[in-house]
């Protein structure tokens, strides 16, 4: 039985979703390849695409590629000469993502960097890959605060920084975090709230995925 939240998510997707063959194939490849099914939902993908368009993005940084599902949604907001750099640790995920991105016709725009994000981020700074117009943080949760700090270094005033999974089923409200993922999200949320260089908030999300949230920040 699906909850009212899932039903409404389906209702919104039916009205506004434009998940096409390439995105559906990406989801299927993730299943077939036994990669965790933790991609953003179709409506969240569309939301990220809208945000990318809203900030007129030409350069996007993504931390955590998985199968490239969110990557494809965001890359489609870019102009032909736009660039999306996505950081991924797992070679299998990166390989499947590359295939999906190629099928979507986005290989020219998307550049996947293999390695630990905490090592790749300083490298991006060194090679002057920034400033990015939008950053999407969605890799492992414990170092979210560090990813955010590196994102700031790769930003300019007006850069939009979005971070997925910052509510974790509401576990962030607990004084003692029950796991390292919610602890990472909680530490990040507090650092974000205290940071004077951004204007930020969090949107709670419910639907086909578990109860969670996305933090949204704009660099002053
Ligand atoms: N953005 C994707 C989902 C990302 S899931 C989507 O919505 O479609 C998180 C990804 O981060 C996984 O593929 C995982 O392998 C990767 N990851 C985990 N630890 C990492 C690290 N230290 N550096 C870079 N990527 C990492
Ligand atoms: C997990 C990671 C995600 O990025 C997500 O959107 C949902 C769950 C996880 O690691 O459990
Ligand atoms: Mg996520």
């Amino acid at each position: 039985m699906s909850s009212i939240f899932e039903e409404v998510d389906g209702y919104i997707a039916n009205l506004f979703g434009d998940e096409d063959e390439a995105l559906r194939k990406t989801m299927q490849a993730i299943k077939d390849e036994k990669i965790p099914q933790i991609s953003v939902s179709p409506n969240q993908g569309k939301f990220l695409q809208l945000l990318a368009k809203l900030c007129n993005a030409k350069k996007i940084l993504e931390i955590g590629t998985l199968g490239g599902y969110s990557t494809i949604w965001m890359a489609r907001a870019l102009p032909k000469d736009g660039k999306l750099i996505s950081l991924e640790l797992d070679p299998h995920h990166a390989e499947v993502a590359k295939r999906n991105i190629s099928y979507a016709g986005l290989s020219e725009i998307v550049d996947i960097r293999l390695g630990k994000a905490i090592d790749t981020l300083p490298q991006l700074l060194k090679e002057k890959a920034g400033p990015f117009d939008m950053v999407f943080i969605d890799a492992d949760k414990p170092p979210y605060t560090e990813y955010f700090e590196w994102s700031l270094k790769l930003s300019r005033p007006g850069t939009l920084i979005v971070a997925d999974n910052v509510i974790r089923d509401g576990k962030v409200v607990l004084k003692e975090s029950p796991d390292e993922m919610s602890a990472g999200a909680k530490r990040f949320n507090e650092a974000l709230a205290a940071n004077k260089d951004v204007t930020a908030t969090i949107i709670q999300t419910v639907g086909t995925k578990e109860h969670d949230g996305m933090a949204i920040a704009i660099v002053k």
Side-chain angles (χ1 to χ4, degrees):
M1 252 256 301
S2 71
S3 71
I4 185 70
F5 300 126
E6 283 173 84
E7 272 184 53
V8 172
D9 217 18
Y11 168 82
I12 297 167
N14 277 335
L15 285 172
F16 300 102
D18 22 46
E19 204 194 32
D20 66 351
E21 201 208 345
L23 285 162
R24 277 192 296 270
K25 267 186 172 257
T26 296
M27 281 296 200
Q28 191 57 48
I30 289 169
K31 252 191 226 166
D32 294 346
E33 296 279 346
K34 310 244 177 332
I35 290 172
Q37 290 175 54
I38 53 175
S39 311
V40 293
S41 70
N43 290 332
Q44 289 170 348
K46 180 80 182 282
F47 180 64
L48 289 171
Q49 185 173 86
L50 266 167
L51 289 178
K53 279 186 184 281
L54 197 58
C55 57
N56 202 14
K58 305 232 161 7
K59 261 203 284 196
I60 300 176
L61 171 63
E62 176 175 65
I63 310 176
T65 319
L66 197 73
Y69 186 80
S70 55
T71 318
I72 293 171
W73 276 107
M74 291 189 288
R76 284 181 169 168
L78 291 170
K80 276 202 178 64
D81 62 344
K83 200 90 221 146
L84 190 157
I85 299 181
S86 189
L87 315 184
E88 177 54 55
L89 175 63
D90 187 307
H92 180 224
H93 295 180
E95 178 211 311
V96 173
K98 274 186 195 156
R99 237 186 287 145
N100 293 328
I101 287 157
S102 163
Y103 188 83
L106 293 164
S107 298
E108 298 278 292
I109 288 179
V110 177
D111 182 6
I112 296 175
R113 302 285 181 99
L114 201 57
K116 281 178 135 186
I118 209 67
D119 301 328
T120 327
L121 286 163
Q123 213 176 303
L124 290 179
L125 193 69
K126 222 192 273 166
E127 66 187 62
K128 296 192 165 61
F132 292 91
D133 307 305
M134 178 176 173
V135 183
F136 180 48
I137 303 175
D138 194 21
D140 49 331
K141 315 307 169 194
Y144 256 37
T145 308
E146 287 68 36
Y147 295 159
F148 171 65
E149 279 159 10
W150 280 106
S151 300
L152 281 178
K153 292 190 182 124
L154 290 158
S155 293
R156 52 154 176 87
T159 294
L160 181 70
I161 301 175
V162 181
D164 195 25
N165 313 115
V166 299
I167 296 298
R168 308 293 317 175
D169 257 320
K171 286 185 208 134
V172 289
V173 305
L174 303 172
K175 254 208 194 96
E176 302 243 346
S177 298
D179 56 76
E180 58 171 20
M181 294 211 276
S182 54
K186 191 176 180 195
R187 183 166 74 93
F188 165 76
N189 293 340
E190 285 161 15
L192 184 67
N195 193 296
K196 299 270 190 292
D197 297 328
V198 295
T199 307
T201 192
I202 295 169
I203 317 259
Q204 269 192 95
T205 53
V206 290
T208 56
K209 291 189 81 176
E210 60 276 32
H211 173 209
D212 218 316
M214 276 197 198
I216 304 195
I218 188 148
V219 179
K220 289 183 192 163

